[in-house]
Amino acid sequence: MTAKTTTARIRSRSGQLRRLMTLLVALLTALLVLERFSAVTLALFREGGGESARRWAQQGVAAVPEVFYLLALWWVRQALAAFARGELFTPTITRALRRVGVMLASGALLGVFIVPSLMRALGFQPGYVIAYDVGGLVLGAVGLALTLLAHVLTHASALQSELEEIF
């Protein structure tokens, strides 16, 4: 297989995956909003303020890490769109790795360390300060590793450019 046909296949496949990722992000966003806020919003309109408003705030706090995870998927979608346009080189890959890594690490950090404290401040369970969540901690570590990979690729690309100038 030639490089030209491989590039064409990557571009085509990336375009298909971008469309799939767009649908996935839209579906997950709709599900997040419906799951987190529909019942609470209906109760808020039925009962008025007070407890319903506090429950709405609780759902908003709980949704913050999920928004970061959806943003990570959006950045994956953006990278696929760039690949479909033929931007298959290091700047596109490093930008995608960095953005996705930051979003995953931020969402995990918020979910493990910040959300439980905010829930406690709002008077809701869990009642602890840090949520020992293995999945969240692993996701945060993967996010940090992706940002490190982006940094390594950026450095390698700069070194390669220097070598090409020398030779």
Side-chain angles (χ1 to χ4, degrees):
M1 211 183 297
T2 67
K4 199 174 235 182
T5 57
T6 302
T7 301
R9 285 182 59 210
I10 290 171
R11 290 181 68 183
S12 172
R13 180 97 172 153
S14 295
Q16 294 168 350
L17 289 173
R18 179 192 52 85
R19 287 187 288 281
L20 179 66
M21 193 64 65
T22 301
L23 290 173
L24 180 64
V25 169
L27 177 67
L28 290 175
T29 301
L31 288 174
L32 172 68
V33 170
L34 290 173
E35 179 202 5
R36 289 277 178 208
F37 300 106
S38 60
V40 176
T41 302
L42 289 174
L44 181 64
F45 284 120
R46 242 184 283 125
E47 301 166 11
E51 183 63 26
S52 295
R54 202 168 68 99
R55 285 185 54 224
W56 204 91
Q58 174 206 18
Q59 292 300 324
V61 168
V64 170
E66 296 162 353
V67 169
F68 278 85
Y69 300 145
L70 288 173
L71 285 171
L73 283 178
W74 183 257
W75 289 123
V76 169
R77 183 217 169 270
Q78 293 295 92
L80 290 168
F83 295 158
R85 288 190 305 270
E87 299 172 21
L88 303 174
F89 302 105
T90 304
T92 302
I93 295 168
T94 57
R95 185 172 44 249
L97 286 174
R98 189 177 306 108
R99 288 174 173 175
V100 170
V102 166
M103 290 297 113
L104 291 178
S106 298
L109 172 80
L110 289 167
V112 171
F113 296 104
I114 306 299
V115 169
S117 296
L118 289 176
M119 293 291 214
R120 187 176 183 183
L122 289 171
F124 288 98
Q125 293 299 326
Y128 44 80
V129 178
I130 296 174
Y132 179 70
D133 175 24
V134 174
L137 293 171
V138 169
L139 201 54
V142 168
L144 291 174
L146 289 176
T147 59
L148 179 64
L149 279 172
H151 181 70
V152 168
L153 283 174
T154 301
H155 186 66
S157 178
L159 289 175
Q160 182 181 10
S161 295
E162 276 185 44
L163 287 174
E164 287 173 357
E165 287 177 9
I166 292 172
F167 298 107

